[in-house]
Amino acid sequence: MVGAGLSGAVIGRKLAEAGHSVIVVDERAHIAGNCFTERDQDTGVLVHVYGPHIFHTDDEEVWTYVNQFERFLPYVNRVKTTSRGQVYLLPINLHTINQFFGKTLRPDEARSFIASLSDASIDEPRTFEEQALKFVGRDLYEAFFKGYTVKQWGCDPNDLPASILKRLPVRFNYDDNYFFHRFQGMPENGYTKMVEKILEHDRIEVRLNQKFNRSDSSSYDHVFYSGPLDGYFDYELGRLGYRTLDFEKFYSDGDFQGCAVMNYGDLSVPYTRITEHKHFSPWESHEKSVCYREFSRSCEEGDIPYYPIRLTEEKELLTRYVERARKESGVTFVGRLGTYRYLDMDVTIREAFDTAKLFLEATSSGSEMRPFAVEP
Ligand code: UDP
């Protein structure tokens, strides 16, 4: 397994349980990839070092699986946003609509009101902006989505796919739960502990601070590669575009903002959000607080890739890397970086299950495992 994040850990564990010997290498000094959590030394708060990770899923098998390794305690993501000097609730819900327009609408009234604002000329929204205009109309779009999205993605929302906005619901009731899923929570002792337990198996060996070289592949029966797809080929064809994040850490006494995630919709505020990590573990109590201002920018050489951009240009390059990868044997590309997709944790784990299953079926029938278990 190249990479000790969720894909490497879960596939590794499934293979070890089936009798394979597994070596997990990671070039970082720690396991758990970007969902790595650790205690902040000054406050004792459990921090999500690479930005907030909230576990939510409809996949019962995935939920049962993660709970086997770490107890998940109740956490409901309730995001706020500051726009033009006021604080609103996200996702856009009846409270947001009534506050924004100074009204007291009931659900059906709000539905017709928003329908009257929506751009009816857009049939099939192709871009983020069209999706938003059709969804909520121009005023809400400009207050909550436009500025945030320009900061987050560094481009015009008209150049982004509609699918990014489809991650967010609009609700005509007072439910401000960010997610629709049946299961949601936070691992009591953090994701690092969870991944550590997944990797705890007699047939799994973890080697940290170890860079993987393609030339090492021949020493293994098969390689599962969860690093960047373009990185595997030494960026020969160019770099796939990512957004990276810079975090500005600061401390506060008591409670800084009263919630875990406060977004900033205005373009004049340079960061996208402030996260206050003690609120991610509401069952703990800490006197002091640690927060992070989150800034998004283009990912350059040496930066940590976070969000795959997947615009037309990147998609063309992706196709060329995928063609090249399909010619490789003895390696399977997995996870967010290996398949260059914006993946939630639960989907990553589900795909890891399916990948392990395919591999075990292939080995038992004597056929070769494919370079991609899931199409990038
Ligand atoms: N978004 C926005 N305003 C917000 C929150 C999100 O415009 O206040 C848009 C933005 O383009 C973002 C996308 O919706 O990239 C998905 O948001 P999500 O909260 O799922 O992003 P994540 O937590 O994965 O960064």
Side-chain angles (χ1 to χ4, degrees):
M1 303 298 142
V2 181
L6 289 176
S7 299
V10 173
I11 299 171
R13 176 73 182 215
K14 290 272 181 202
L15 266 50
E17 284 171 353
H20 290 270
S21 295
V22 176
I23 293 173
V24 182
V25 297
D26 201 301
E27 62 181 10
R28 287 177 175 174
H30 63 74
I31 59 166
N34 275 11
C35 67
F36 176 67
T37 45
E38 69 179 2
R39 294 247 167 230
D40 174 69
Q41 293 205 332
D42 292 346
T43 58
V45 170
L46 192 62
V47 295
H48 298 208
V49 175
Y50 302 94
H53 281 71
I54 295 124
F55 203 94
H56 55 97
T57 190
D58 259 342
D59 190 325
E60 195 156 355
E61 196 185 334
V62 168
W63 181 245
T64 308
Y65 184 82
V66 294
N67 273 277
Q68 251 176 272
F69 297 100
E70 182 59 23
R71 184 157 69 140
F72 276 65
L73 292 181
Y75 173 85
V76 178
N77 200 29
R78 299 190 193 281
V79 177
K80 315 285 177 271
T81 186
T82 299
S83 170
R84 302 169 188 165
Q86 283 208 56
V87 176
Y88 298 90
L89 304 179
L90 283 184
I92 293 177
N93 63 69
L94 194 47
H95 196 279
T96 324
I97 296 166
N98 277 331
Q99 182 188 354
F100 188 82
F101 293 103
K103 292 185 180 288
T104 55
L105 302 172
R106 287 181 294 108
D108 286 350
E109 294 167 341
R111 205 180 284 277
S112 345
F113 176 64
I114 293 295
S116 75
L117 302 177
S118 117
D119 187 336
S121 69
I122 303 166
D123 239 2
E124 284 284 314
R126 283 165 304 119
T127 69
F128 184 100
E129 179 161 303
E130 284 182 4
Q131 177 74 35
L133 293 176
K134 186 177 164 67
F135 218 27
V136 294
R138 184 160 295 277
D139 289 345
L140 289 167
Y141 163 61
E142 290 189 346
F144 300 130
F145 299 140
K146 192 174 180 181
Y148 188 98
T149 298
V150 168
K151 291 189 281 185
Q152 171 71 8
W153 295 96
C155 63
D156 190 311
N158 252 323
D159 294 331
L160 287 169
S163 59
I164 294 179
L165 188 66
K166 286 186 189 148
R167 292 174 58 84
L168 307 186
V170 172
R171 302 224 180 88
F172 296 101
N173 57 32
Y174 288 101
D175 181 5
D176 63 348
N177 182 348
Y178 207 69
F179 302 116
F180 269 126
H181 290 148
R182 276 185 302 161
F183 309 107
Q184 185 174 176
M186 282 289 185
E188 186 172 13
N189 301 296
Y191 293 102
T192 307
K193 251 286 166 276
M194 177 184 94
V195 175
E196 194 180 301
K197 290 189 198 151
I198 298 175
L199 289 168
E200 222 170 77
H201 190 284
D202 288 348
R203 280 186 287 273
I204 299 181
E205 185 193 328
V206 179
R207 299 180 187 166
L208 296 177
N209 300 303
Q210 186 169 317
K211 227 174 148 51
F212 169 76
N213 273 322
R214 251 165 90 191
S215 53
D216 299 342
S217 300
S218 52
S219 339
Y220 305 99
D221 295 331
H222 197 83
V223 171
F224 290 87
Y225 179 87
S226 70
L229 176 61
D230 50 355
Y232 183 87
F233 297 101
D234 296 323
Y235 308 99
E236 275 166 22
L237 306 172
R239 285 184 175 262
L240 288 168
Y242 280 93
R243 300 294 286 172
T244 192
L245 300 176
D246 293 322
F247 296 98
E248 207 175 270
K249 182 179 180 178
F250 63 97
Y251 290 100
S252 146
D253 285 328
D255 196 352
F256 175 73
Q257 61 183 15
C259 64
V261 184
M262 174 66 78
N263 289 355
Y264 286 85
D266 300 332
L267 204 49
S268 55
V269 177
Y271 40 88
T272 51
R273 56 188 175 187
I274 296 180
T275 50
E276 182 168 15
H277 289 226
K278 69 178 176 185
H279 295 300
F280 288 127
S281 306
W283 56 90
E284 293 187 1
S285 68
H286 299 276
E287 259 174 41
K288 285 186 71 188
S289 199
V290 55
C291 305
Y292 296 83
R293 291 187 193 91
E294 204 170 305
F295 300 80
S296 170
R297 64 174 170 82
S298 161
C299 181
E300 308 297 340
E301 199 178 331
D303 292 329
I304 299 170
Y306 282 78
Y307 297 90
I309 299 176
R310 291 188 84 106
L311 296 180
T312 318
E313 209 177 293
E314 285 82 17
K315 278 193 179 156
E316 280 166 14
L317 186 56
L318 174 65
T319 307
R320 293 173 61 210
Y321 274 118
V322 168
E323 277 167 13
R324 190 168 277 214
R326 286 197 201 290
K327 297 193 185 114
E328 293 284 304
S329 65
V331 55
T332 300
F333 298 86
V334 296
R336 176 177 59 95
L337 302 173
T339 62
Y340 192 59
R341 283 171 312 143
Y342 190 168
L343 285 186
D344 284 334
M345 289 182 285
D346 63 324
V347 180
T348 307
I349 294 175
R350 160 54 55 195
E351 292 187 357
F353 289 171
D354 297 344
T355 305
K357 189 161 171 262
L358 273 176
F359 176 76
L360 295 173
E361 283 166 3
T363 42
S364 70
S365 69
S367 51
E368 185 162 2
M369 176 68 184
R370 311 196 289 256
F372 294 102
V374 184
E375 288 307 302

